């Protein structure tokens, strides 16, 4: 094991040496996107669809695929704060609502700046107090909004404690995830396990991924909404399905049935059938829905009270109008004196002061008791304007506003209000911001606001180096934009290989092709399969204009596999050329010991002769027990130590059920599994041991019980059964008991006698007579109908002149029609006869 650990450590060191040849920009190389997506969708798709990552879930996973594309292509995603590309090795933070990526440093600075500006605004508003408006009502100061910061894209509000502090993977399981070439960037590679939305009880089966989790794709066994259909296996997102059957439940109106398609019980919509229903006062009749049986018309009741002087002024209502309201104790207009009298008597004013509270809410009416509303308040009071800077004596009912302009800052924090007598109701700023955006090309066109401006929404066209591919990128990101061009790079390679990478910006990436030159360092003559090292970028330590140069590196250790036999001669393994020395294969020696039954259990060790598989110097001694195979069926071990065959007979007592399963039999193991006789004798002896000697409980195919003793398998000699069986004739009138063998030979019924034949002929004659009567009746009906038709629609007979000569009389019998009826009757009788003989 130590040898294997050393070899693995050496392989890792060699791999690290090859990887160190790559430049510092290797993290921006191409990824195997197809393999990464296959691994990501492995736990989401059904087994039949795992061969293709986007075979059947294109629509449901489209949004997730967009974020995956931005994550896989380094620089494809853009930070909306700094308008810079997001590389695969940079720490990021993603919003929980819109899932947009941001640099971790950028979003931390954004959150801190937003909170600081909001705190400053709150401190400025802390000195503000409430005021009284022109109605005398107290207006409290504005409530301060809770401190928060927003996502730059979707404006989702986050509390101060939710500021991002550390770099996490997309699912939040791992801190500071390391970039791996076989994983999605910024991912931990574990299953997401977030609860799916809408909540169904299942979690996401994708690997840790950006963007929202796709809809649930697991199967659920559920019935339809109404529960009438049988349960089906449906996708979890479609488990609330409709069976397209009509509900037919009785609605609340008690007259009509629900005609809606499958829905939950008790959730039938209101009845939409219409009927004529009277209003509450029964004056009007209107066609309304069954669910709106109670309705009111717009007529005033107008019914006379019991006094006969006044009338009910209520709109359409049920029941009686009640007593006259003017007959109750009444007060004067000011309410200071009360009087009881008939409703026909008017209540006069009391002559006292009114003293009702005026609309100002501060003073009372000074007039005498009067009818109608009080006048406006004319009391002269000192009034303060809305802004609270001036005072003036005015009637209490008038509002006072001054001409002083408000000098407070509006919500943008940049411009003054300048509205006359504004108070604490400054309108929002309506000017254009006009700040220079982060793209340094355009200005902000939003309304003047507080805090940083939104990123520029315009786009620019960027071309690749060869000019054959174009791409639209956000304004200000033209220099850092990455364009994926499918054309090959046109720059000459610095090594001996041909160019095979795509068009790109900046310097060419390091060559990733195998060296394919003879390894002149080890001298083994094998071809070097390591990554190309003919032009490796090396930094220059001297103070020169260039910061690095390209140099050729020596060949690494030869990794060519060669055949090496282990020290025990068990296997031939493939080892690297630089470490091709025989060693132990860590398998068991497996050489046959002198006892002839066992093999050496030591780990592979050195032996003089690799080809000899018998015991040699260094092999272990036999310390095992007996290994001689037991007779077929015997499961008991030999009590002796390892020895050559044969073993002593096994005398263990065995108990088991008999063939019929009713009794328990006992026998010795060596007597039951003795193999000295022929196969047939062994089988007969074992069957005899397993038999209890009682009569078999099984039945023959004829239904009678087996006559032999307890036995295995099918019952023997079913043809010897002689039990009695009862048979009948076809009319079920004659019966006879015969033996079972005659019944199996084919005698299953008896022949009918003369009485049976006479009875059958009598039934047939009755049937023929009934058929003839039906035919005659039908013929009579047809003739009557024909005569009626000719009488109704036949031509009028012309009046014939009297002739002296008499015409011969026409025959009364229609022989043609009679022949047709005779042929039809013969055909029916022939069909009945054929059917009777076919049944017999």
């Amino acid at each position: 094991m130590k040898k294997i650990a050393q070899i693995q450590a050496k392989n890792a060191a060699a791999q690290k040496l090859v990887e160190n040849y790559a430049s510092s920009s290797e993290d921006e190389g191409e990824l195997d996107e197809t393999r990464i997506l296959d691994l990501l969708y492995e736990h989401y798709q059904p087994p039949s669809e795992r061969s293709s990552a986007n075979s059947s879930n294109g629509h449901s996973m489209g949004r997730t695929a967009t974020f995956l594309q931005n994550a896989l292509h380094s620089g494809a995603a853009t930070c909306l704060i700094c308008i810079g590309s997001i590389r695969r090795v940079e720490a990021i933070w993603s919003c929980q609502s819109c899932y947009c990526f941001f640099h971790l440093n950028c979003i931390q600075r954004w959150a801190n700046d937003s909170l600081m500006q909001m705190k400053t605004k709150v401190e400025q508003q802390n000195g503000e107090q409430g005021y009284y408006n022109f109605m005398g009502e107290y207006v409290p100061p504005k409530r301060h909004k809770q401190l928060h910061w927003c996502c730059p894209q979707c404006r989702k509000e986050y509390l101060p404690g939710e500021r991002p502090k550390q770099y996490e993977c997309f699912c939040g399981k791992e801190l500071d995830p390391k970039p791996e070439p076989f994983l999605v960037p910024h991912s931990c590679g574990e299953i997401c396990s977030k609860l799916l939305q809408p909540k169904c009880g299942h979690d996401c089966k994708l690997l840790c991924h950006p963007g929202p989790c796709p809809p649930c794709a697991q199967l659920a066994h559920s019935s339809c909404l109404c529960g009438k259909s049988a349960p089906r296996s449906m996708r979890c997102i479609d488990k609330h399905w409709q069976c397209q059957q009509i509900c037919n439940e009785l609605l609340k109106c008690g007259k009509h049935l629900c005609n809606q398609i499958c829905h939950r019980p008790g959730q039938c919509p209101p009845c939409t059938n219409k009927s004529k229903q009277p209003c509450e006062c029964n004056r009007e009749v209107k066609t309304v829905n069954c669910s709106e049986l109670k309705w009111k018309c717009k007529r005033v009741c107008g019914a006379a009270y019991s006094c006969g002087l006044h009338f009910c002024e209520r709109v359409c209502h049920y029941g009686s109008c009640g007593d006259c309201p003017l007959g109750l104790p009444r007060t004067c207009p000011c309410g200071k004196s009360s009087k009881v009298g008939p409703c026909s008597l008017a209540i006069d004013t009391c002559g006292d002061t009114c003293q009702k509270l005026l609309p100002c809410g501060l003073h009372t009416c000074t007039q005498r008791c009067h009818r109608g509303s009080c006048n406006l308040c004319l009391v002269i009071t000192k009034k303060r304007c809305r802004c609270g800077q001036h005072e003036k004596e005015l009637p209490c009912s008038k509002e006072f506003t001054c001409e002083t302009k408000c000098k407070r800052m509006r919500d943008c924090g940049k411009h003054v209000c300048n509205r006359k007598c504004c108070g604490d109701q400054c309108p929002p700023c309506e000017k254009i911001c006009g700040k220079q955006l982060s793209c340094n090309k355009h200005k902000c066109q939003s309304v003047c606001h507080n805090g940083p401006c939104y990123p520029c929404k315009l786009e620019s066209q960027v071309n690749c180096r060869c000019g054959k591919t174009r791409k639209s990128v956000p304004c200000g990101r033209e220099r850092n934009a990455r364009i994926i061009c499918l054309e090959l790079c046109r720059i000459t390679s610095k090594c001996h290989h041909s160019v095979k990478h795509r068009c790109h910006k900046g310097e060419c990436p390091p060559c990733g092709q195998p060296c394919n030159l003879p390894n002149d360092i080890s001298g083994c003559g094998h071809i070097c399969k390591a990554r190309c090292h003919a032009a490796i970028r090396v930094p220059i330590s001297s103070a020169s204009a260039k910061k690095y140069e390209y140099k050729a590196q020596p060949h690494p250790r030869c990794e060519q596999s060669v055949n090496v036999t282990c020290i025990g001669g068990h296997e031939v393994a493939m080892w690297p050329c630089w470490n091709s020395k025989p060693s132990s294969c860590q398998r068991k020696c497996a050489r046959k010991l002198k006892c002839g039954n066992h093999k050496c259990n030591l780990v592979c060790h050195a032996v003089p002769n690799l080809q000899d598989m018998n015991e040699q110097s260094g092999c272990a001694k036999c310390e095992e027990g007996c290994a001689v195979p037991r007779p077929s069926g015997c499961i008991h071990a030999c009590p002796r130590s390892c020895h050559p065959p044969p073993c002593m007979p096994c005398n263990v007592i065995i108990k088991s059920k008999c063939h019929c399963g009713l009794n328990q039999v006992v026998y010795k193991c060596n007597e039951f599994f003795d193999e000295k006789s022929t196969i047939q004798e062994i089988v007969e002896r074992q069957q005899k041991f397993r038999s209890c000697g009682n009569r078999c409980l099984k039945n023959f195919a004829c239904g009678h019980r087996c006559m032999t003793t307890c036995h295995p398998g099918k019952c023997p000699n079913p043809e010897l059964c002689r039990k009695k069986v009862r048979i009948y004739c076809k009319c079920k009138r004659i019966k006879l008991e015969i033996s079972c063998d005659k019944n199996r030979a084919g005698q299953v019924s008896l022949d009918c006698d003369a009485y049976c034949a006479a009875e059958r002929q009598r039934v047939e004659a009755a049937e023929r007579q009934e058929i003839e009567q039906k035919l005659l009746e039908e013929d009579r009906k047809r003739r009557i109908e024909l005569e009626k038709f000719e009488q109704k629609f036949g031509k009028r007979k012309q009046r014939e002149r009297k002739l002296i000569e008499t015409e011969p009389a026409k025959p009364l019998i229609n022989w043609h029609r009679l022949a047709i009826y005779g042929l039809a009757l013969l055909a029916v009788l022939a069909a009945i006869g054929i059917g009777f003989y076919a049944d017999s």
Side-chain angles (χ1 to χ4, degrees):
M1 297 299 292
K2 293 182 179 179
K3 193 76 172 180
I4 295 177
Q6 293 176 358
I7 294 172
Q8 292 177 351
K10 292 179 181 179
N11 291 337
Q15 185 68 23
K16 185 176 181 181
L17 176 63
V18 175
E19 292 176 354
N20 289 337
Y21 290 151
S23 64
S24 60
S25 63
E26 185 182 1
D27 60 301
E28 297 300 320
E30 297 294 332
L31 295 177
D32 190 359
E33 301 171 9
T34 303
R35 182 169 175 267
I36 291 175
L37 291 176
D38 288 341
L39 290 174
L40 183 68
Y41 296 136
E42 180 179 5
H43 296 278
Y44 180 80
Q45 291 179 320
S48 61
E49 299 173 355
R50 289 182 183 170
S51 59
S52 174
N54 298 323
S55 59
S56 65
N57 298 317
H59 177 69
S60 60
M61 306 182 69
R63 199 173 167 205
T64 304
T66 303
F67 286 96
L68 282 173
Q69 184 179 5
N70 292 339
L72 290 174
H73 295 295
S74 181
T78 306
C79 177
L80 297 181
I81 300 175
C82 65
I83 314 299
S85 300
I86 299 178
R87 301 167 62 212
R88 291 193 289 266
V89 295
E90 293 177 337
I92 66 167
W93 176 85
S94 59
C95 177
Q96 299 177 5
S97 177
C98 63
Y99 306 98
C100 185
F101 304 157
F102 303 96
H103 290 121
L104 184 60
N105 295 333
C106 294
I107 196 65
Q108 288 175 343
R109 188 168 58 253
W110 174 279
N112 293 333
D113 293 347
S114 300
L115 292 174
M116 184 61 65
Q117 291 174 3
M118 197 168 186
K119 287 181 181 179
T120 304
K121 185 177 179 181
V122 170
E123 290 175 357
Q124 292 176 356
Q125 295 177 355
N126 281 338
E128 298 180 358
Q129 299 179 355
Y131 64 94
Y132 291 93
N133 59 11
F134 68 96
M135 295 292 294
E137 299 174 350
Y138 177 75
V139 180
K142 294 182 179 179
R143 292 183 60 184
H144 302 312
K145 198 172 184 181
Q146 187 180 9
L147 286 178
H148 66 276
W149 59 278
C150 300
C151 170
Q153 175 164 318
C154 66
R155 310 305 293 176
K156 173 180 171 57
E157 296 182 358
Y158 291 93
L159 297 177
E162 296 178 344
R163 283 178 292 182
K165 298 178 181 179
Q166 51 195 1
Y167 174 38
E168 298 179 351
C169 64
F170 296 114
C171 65
K173 295 180 181 177
E174 183 178 348
L175 298 178
D176 298 326
K178 297 181 180 180
E180 299 289 347
F182 51 85
L183 292 179
V184 177
H186 320 294
S187 169
C188 62
E190 300 294 334
I191 296 179
C192 177
S193 298
K194 291 181 183 178
L195 292 179
L196 298 176
Q197 299 295 334
K199 294 183 180 179
C200 61
H202 300 120
D203 52 2
C204 181
K205 298 302 181 184
L206 297 181
L207 299 183
C208 181
H209 62 89
C213 296
C216 183
Q218 297 194 26
L219 294 178
H221 197 65
S222 63
S223 181
C224 61
L225 294 178
C226 65
K228 295 180 181 179
S229 298
R232 299 180 184 176
S233 293
M234 308 287 290
R235 291 283 187 183
C236 187
I237 56 176
D238 300 327
K239 61 183 179 182
H240 302 296
W241 56 281
Q242 293 178 319
C243 62
Q244 304 301 319
Q245 296 185 22
I246 303 300
C247 177
N248 287 332
E249 293 289 338
L250 188 64
L251 297 175
K252 294 181 179 180
C253 64
K255 297 180 179 180
H256 304 99
L257 300 178
C258 178
N259 57 358
Q260 299 295 321
I261 300 176
C262 173
H263 56 80
R264 295 189 183 278
Q267 296 183 0
C268 298
C271 183
T272 57
N273 294 304
K274 296 183 180 296
S275 60
K276 291 184 177 181
Q277 301 293 337
C279 63
E280 293 186 0
C281 64
N282 292 326
R283 291 186 180 182
E284 294 185 6
V285 177
K286 182 180 178 181
T287 302
V288 296
N289 293 333
C290 282
S291 58
E292 301 173 359
L293 297 179
K294 296 181 180 180
W295 64 283
K296 288 186 177 183
C297 63
K298 296 182 180 181
R299 293 186 181 184
V300 178
C301 178
Y305 289 116
S306 58
C307 64
L309 300 175
H310 303 96
F311 301 94
C312 179
E313 296 180 356
R314 289 192 298 168
V315 183
C316 179
H317 64 87
Y318 279 118
S320 62
C321 299
D323 298 331
C324 179
L326 298 179
L328 302 175
R330 291 173 289 166
T331 61
C332 64
C334 68
K336 292 183 178 180
S337 63
S338 61
K339 184 178 181 181
V340 178
C343 60
S344 59
L345 182 63
I347 301 299
D348 296 331
T349 58
C350 64
D352 198 353
T353 306
C354 179
Q355 291 186 349
K356 286 183 180 179
L357 191 65
L358 295 175
C360 65
L362 300 175
H363 306 99
T364 58
C365 179
T366 58
Q367 296 179 356
R368 286 190 176 185
C369 179
H370 60 88
R371 291 184 176 88
S373 60
C374 299
N375 295 330
L376 297 176
C377 184
L378 300 177
V379 179
I380 303 299
T381 59
K382 282 187 178 182
K383 284 205 166 188
R384 187 176 293 274
C385 63
R386 286 185 300 184
C387 62
Q389 298 184 15
H390 303 278
E391 288 185 356
K392 188 177 181 180
E393 291 185 350
L394 288 173
C396 184
S397 59
K398 289 187 179 181
E399 182 185 4
F400 172 48
T401 56
C402 66
E403 298 294 326
T404 305
K405 293 184 177 180
C406 180
K407 297 302 180 182
R408 294 186 179 184
M409 301 297 292
R410 299 197 179 187
D411 56 353
C412 63
K414 301 175 183 179
H415 302 103
V416 182
C417 177
N418 282 334
R419 194 174 70 158
K420 290 182 180 181
C421 196
C422 177
D424 193 26
Q425 299 178 352
C426 299
C429 187
E430 298 178 354
K431 296 184 179 180
I432 302 300
C433 176
K435 280 185 181 180
Q436 190 77 14
L437 296 177
S438 56
C439 64
N440 293 326
K441 293 183 180 181
H442 306 96
K443 294 184 178 181
C444 180
Q445 299 298 321
S446 301
V447 177
C448 189
H449 57 86
N450 193 6
C453 300
Y454 288 133
C456 183
K457 297 182 179 180
L458 300 179
E459 293 185 350
S460 302
Q461 291 286 340
V462 181
N463 298 338
C464 65
R465 171 177 280 182
C466 64
K468 292 188 176 181
T469 306
R470 294 183 178 181
K471 183 180 180 181
S472 296
V473 297
C475 182
R477 197 190 153 215
E478 292 84 1
R479 292 185 179 181
N480 299 328
R482 180 185 176 187
I483 304 177
I484 302 176
C485 181
L486 301 179
E487 299 290 333
L488 291 177
C489 180
R490 300 183 181 181
I491 301 176
T492 305
S493 177
K494 296 181 178 62
C495 61
H496 58 279
H497 296 107
S498 59
V499 177
K500 291 186 178 181
H501 56 267
R502 299 174 183 174
C503 176
H504 58 88
K505 284 187 177 182
E507 294 191 2
C508 292
C511 181
Q513 303 181 45
C515 177
N516 287 334
L517 294 178
N519 195 330
D520 54 359
I521 301 299
S522 60
C524 58
H526 295 130
I527 301 298
C528 180
K529 298 296 183 182
R531 192 173 181 177
C532 178
H533 47 84
I536 303 300
R537 190 169 69 178
V538 179
I540 300 176
S541 59
S542 60
S544 60
K546 294 183 178 180
K547 296 182 180 180
Y548 54 84
E549 62 181 350
Y550 290 90
K551 290 185 178 180
Q553 300 291 337
H555 294 285
R557 292 180 300 185
C558 181
E559 299 291 340
Q560 180 71 32
S561 298
V562 295
N563 295 330
V564 179
T565 306
C566 67
I567 58 177
H570 300 98
E571 64 178 21
V572 178
M574 304 295 289
W575 290 78
C577 177
W578 61 272
N579 193 27
S580 57
K581 295 181 181 179
S583 61
S584 175
C585 63
Q586 302 300 319
R587 291 170 56 185
K588 290 186 178 181
C589 176
R591 283 179 165 76
K592 192 173 183 181
L593 299 180
K594 292 182 180 179
C595 66
N597 296 328
H598 301 96
K599 297 181 180 180
C600 178
N601 289 327
L602 297 179
V603 179
C604 176
H605 56 85
V607 293
N609 188 3
L610 298 178
Q611 304 297 329
D612 187 7
M613 294 306 294
N614 294 321
E615 182 180 352
Q616 300 185 36
S617 60
C619 292
K621 302 298 181 180
C622 178
E623 296 178 355
E624 302 289 336
C626 176
V628 178
R630 307 295 288 167
S632 178
C634 180
I635 59 174
H636 310 104
C638 179
R640 297 170 59 190
S641 59
C642 183
H643 64 88
C647 293
M648 294 179 64
C650 181
N651 293 321
V652 178
I653 302 299
I654 300 176
K655 296 180 180 180
S656 64
K657 290 286 185 180
C658 65
H659 299 298
C660 58
L662 294 179
N663 299 319
Q664 191 178 34
V665 294
V666 180
Y667 48 85
K668 289 186 178 181
C669 179
N670 61 340
E671 295 176 354
F672 187 80
F673 296 108
D674 189 8
E675 298 178 347
K676 295 180 180 179
S677 304
T678 60
I679 296 176
Q680 184 176 0
E681 293 176 351
I682 292 173
V683 172
E684 291 178 355
R685 183 176 67 256
Q686 290 182 353
Q687 290 181 358
K688 184 178 180 181
F689 277 118
R690 293 288 298 275
S691 176
C692 63
N694 297 326
R695 185 178 176 182
C696 180
L697 300 177
K698 301 177 185 178
N699 291 335
F700 290 130
C702 61
H704 301 120
R705 185 176 173 182
C706 179
M707 296 177 292
T708 57
T709 57
C710 177
H711 62 86
K714 296 181 179 180
C715 295
N717 303 323
E719 67 277 359
L720 301 180
C721 181
R722 296 292 187 275
K723 299 262 181 164
K724 295 295 182 180
V725 179
R726 186 174 292 177
I727 60 176
Y728 299 88
C729 68
K730 292 182 180 180
C731 302
K732 302 295 181 180
R733 191 182 64 82
I734 304 174
K735 59 183 178 180
L736 180 66
E737 288 187 353
I738 61 173
S739 60
C740 185
D741 55 344
K742 293 181 180 180
N743 183 265
R744 291 196 303 273
Q747 186 177 355
V748 295
S749 62
L750 298 175
D751 295 333
C752 295
D753 55 2
Y755 180 81
C756 293
E759 186 67 20
R760 193 182 303 113
Q761 290 178 2
R762 185 183 63 78
V763 173
E764 292 175 358
E767 290 178 354
R768 286 197 298 272
Q769 184 177 2
E770 184 179 355
I771 292 172
E772 290 176 0
Q773 289 179 358
K774 288 182 179 180
L775 291 175
L776 293 175
E777 184 67 21
E778 290 177 359
D779 185 25
R780 186 181 64 79
K781 289 181 180 179
R782 282 196 295 270
R783 281 190 277 104
I784 292 172
E785 290 176 358
L786 181 61
E787 290 175 0
K788 289 181 180 180
F789 180 80
E790 290 178 352
Q791 290 176 4
K792 188 174 181 180
F793 299 102
K795 292 183 180 180
R796 276 177 124 183
K797 294 183 179 181
Q798 295 181 1
R799 194 171 181 182
E800 298 180 356
R801 294 181 180 179
K802 292 184 179 180
L803 298 177
I804 299 173
E805 295 180 359
T806 58
E807 295 180 357
K810 293 183 179 180
L812 298 177
I813 300 174
N814 192 344
W815 294 103
H816 180 68
R817 184 180 296 174
L818 188 61
I820 293 174
Y821 291 158
L823 291 175
L825 181 60
L826 290 175
V828 171
L829 293 176
I832 292 172
I834 292 172
F836 174 75
Y837 288 113
D839 292 339
S840 61

